[in-house]
Amino acid sequence: GGWEGRDKKTGQMRKRVGRLLEYASIYSGQGRPQKRPVSARALAGQFTSELVHFNPLIDNKIGDDAIISADPELLERVFDNLISNLHKHADVAQPMSLSCRQVGQSIVLELENGIAENAAAAKGNTMGQKIVEYIMQIHGGSVAVRQKDNRYAVTLTFAMKN
């Protein structure tokens, strides 16, 4: 009884401390982003491959010549956060879609999914959202989140490299 509860709380605290340290490390500029030219189509493809077990409807209209300046390791953290949130909050019985497209000089990835009925119980973590926002900001991009009824959408926008 008592030890299990303490072990669980200890695990939760370790996760929170880890998130805070990750945020502090990124936000303080330690380990500056290692940006390089990255194929936006390949980046979208990598994210798509990580979503495969959710069976999403995928619409990737990014051309082979679309390049962004990015730190792939930092963007992996963004995708890891999104996938973690899907595991916690998505209703896998509802359709999920990923739209990847070029809009002017930007690349836009939009992930939409249903929200599980028990999602309120698996309360989100704003630290993860802050990390995603900051990583997108240092890439000259943005993240937008919207929720309507039982649907949730996240839009990541990246500036294309000139």
Side-chain angles (χ1 to χ4, degrees), residues 28-50:
S28 70
Q30 294 176 11
R32 295 259 179 235
Q34 303 296 311
K35 290 185 185 179
R36 61 181 172 81
V38 173
S39 161
R41 184 171 181 79
L43 184 71
Q46 176 190 342
F47 185 42
T48 299
S49 70
E50 294 177 29

Side-chain angles (χ1 to χ4, degrees), residues 23 36-37 52 58 90 112 150:
Y23 182 68
R36 61 181 172 81
V52 76
I58 297 165
E112 185 179 318
N150 66 340

Side-chain angles (χ1 to χ4, degrees), residues 1-9:
W3 286 110
E4 281 180 17
R6 281 183 236 167
D7 287 347
K8 185 177 179 183
K9 286 288 184 198

Side-chain angles (χ1 to χ4, degrees), residues 1-21:
W3 286 110
E4 281 180 17
R6 281 183 236 167
D7 287 347
K8 185 177 179 183
K9 286 288 184 198
T10 300
Q12 290 171 341
M13 288 301 292
R14 281 193 178 123
K15 274 181 149 175
R16 285 190 189 118
V17 168
R19 286 277 213 200
L20 284 168
L21 290 173

Side-chain angles (χ1 to χ4, degrees), residues 7-8 14 17 22 27 60 67 96 101 109 132 137:
D7 287 347
K8 185 177 179 183
R14 281 193 178 123
V17 168
E22 177 184 27
Y27 194 76
N60 189 349
I67 304 294
M96 179 184 297
R101 63 194 186 281
L109 305 182
V132 167
Q137 180 186 349

Side-chain angles (χ1 to χ4, degrees), residues 75-90:
L75 291 184
E76 193 172 313
R77 289 181 182 183
V78 170
F79 296 144
D80 286 349
N81 181 274
L82 294 176
I83 290 166
S84 171
N85 286 341
L86 287 172
H87 282 289
K88 291 181 215 166
H89 307 291

